[in-house]
Amino acid sequence: MSSIVTITNLEKTYKTDSETLTILKDLNLEIESGTKTVIVGESGSGKSTFLNIIGGLDTATSGSVRVGPYEVSSLSEESLTEYRSHFLGLIFQFHYLLKDFTALENVFLPAYMAGMPKHEAREKALSLLHDVGLVDRVDHLPSQLSGGERQRVAVARSLINDPQIILADEPTGNLDPANALMIGDLLFSMADKYQKTLILVTHDMSLAKKGDFCYAITNGQLTERQI
C-alpha cells in the first residue's frame, strides 16, 4: 500500500497578548491508503484541531500536511474548496443537514453543486441512502428524522462525491449508546464497501477498537496506542 497522508513536523500554536499556547507539537504520521486510523485523546487535547488541519478547515503554524496530490498547508482558497469537495468526505458530531431539504436532497446537493447531472446525482444519492438503511425515509426533512437517522444521512452525504478519504470528527458524540454503536458499525462497513481511507476522531474506545491503527494525542504529542 502507498501512503495517502504524510504529516511532517506539524505544529499548531495559538498566540494571545499574554501567552503562546501549543496545541500540537512536532507531529509526524503516515497513513496508508485504504486503512482506518483512529485518533483518541481527552477533550481539549487537540484531536479535532488535528483533523481540521488535515481537512483544510484550520491551518498549521508550521510543518507539512500532504494528502494525496495536495500539499494542504499551501493550498489557495480555490484549491482548498476543490480538495474538500472532491477528495474528502466530512462527517461531524453535528449532522449539519439543511433543514428545509429532504434527506435525498441533502445527499445529492453536494454532487449536483460539484457539476454532476441532477438525475445522476439523485440516483447515486438514492443508492447511498439505501446502503445506510434509509430508503423509506428519503423524502423526510431532518426534523422528521431521529438523531441516528440524521447521522446516517450525513454518512451517505460524505460519500456522494466519491472521496478518497473520510474524515469523521466524533460522529457518535451526540448519540445514545445504541445509535452510537449502529453509526460506528455503519461508518466502518461503508468505508470497507467503498474502499475508502477513514480517519476518525473519537473519545469512544469501543469505537476506536474497530480501527486498524490507533493514536493518542497527549500534551500535544502523537503516540501509537494498542487497543
Side-chain angles (χ1 to χ4, degrees):
M1 284 187 187
S2 59
S3 293
I4 194 168
V5 177
T6 301
I7 294 167
T8 309
N9 301 330
L10 178 69
E11 187 163 305
K12 179 66 177 179
T13 60
Y14 293 98
K15 292 186 178 181
T16 67
D17 291 339
S18 58
E19 64 176 349
T20 297
L21 183 63
T22 300
I23 303 295
L24 305 169
K25 52 189 175 187
D26 197 29
L27 263 61
N28 294 277
L29 181 64
E30 294 238 357
I31 295 175
E32 291 184 344
S33 181
T35 58
K36 298 165 190 67
T37 299
V38 180
I39 310 292
V40 299
E42 297 296 326
S43 179
S45 64
K47 57 188 187 297
S48 290
T49 299
F50 181 60
L51 200 71
N52 285 341
I53 290 171
I54 296 173
L57 302 169
D58 200 349
T59 54
T61 305
S62 61
S64 168
V65 178
R66 186 162 192 86
V67 182
Y70 298 93
E71 182 62 50
V72 180
S73 30
S74 60
L75 290 178
S76 66
E77 279 301 318
E78 185 179 350
S79 296
L80 270 174
T81 299
E82 179 195 331
Y83 166 63
R84 286 193 291 258
S85 63
H86 292 283
F87 204 80
L88 302 179
L90 302 170
I91 305 169
F92 301 97
Q93 185 169 344
F94 185 71
H95 53 79
Y96 292 112
L97 300 180
L98 301 170
K99 66 183 180 66
D100 296 324
F101 291 82
T102 65
L104 178 61
E105 290 165 338
N106 267 283
V107 176
F108 85 63
L109 271 173
Y112 180 57
M113 292 172 67
M116 188 182 292
K118 188 173 183 179
H119 70 279
E120 186 180 332
R122 188 178 186 279
E123 288 307 308
K124 189 171 183 182
L126 279 171
S127 177
L128 286 166
L129 286 165
H130 180 272
D131 284 347
V132 299
L134 289 178
V135 71
D136 58 342
R137 309 288 277 170
V138 296
D139 294 323
H140 287 64
L141 296 171
S143 61
Q144 299 169 313
L145 301 173
S146 69
E149 287 171 336
R150 288 193 287 266
Q151 203 63 324
R152 279 192 267 169
V153 175
V155 171
R157 180 184 58 189
S158 75
L159 290 158
I160 190 69
N161 281 333
D162 195 24
Q164 297 295 304
I165 299 176
I166 303 294
L167 299 181
D169 188 1
E170 295 280 12
T172 63
N174 278 340
L175 302 175
D176 61 80
N179 271 308
L181 180 64
M182 181 269 294
I183 290 295
D185 286 343
L186 177 67
L187 191 52
F188 280 87
S189 67
M190 292 290 277
D192 276 335
K193 177 172 182 173
Y194 288 99
Q195 298 179 305
K196 303 304 179 189
T197 304
L198 175 65
I199 306 173
L200 168 72
V201 159
T202 186
H203 64 272
D204 182 347
M205 292 312 297
S206 64
L207 184 56
K209 288 176 182 176
K210 298 178 187 294
D212 300 316
F213 303 97
C214 183
Y215 297 89
I217 296 180
T218 309
N219 298 322
Q221 299 274 280
L222 190 69
T223 55
E224 190 162 4
R225 180 165 178 172
Q226 299 301 315
I227 50 174

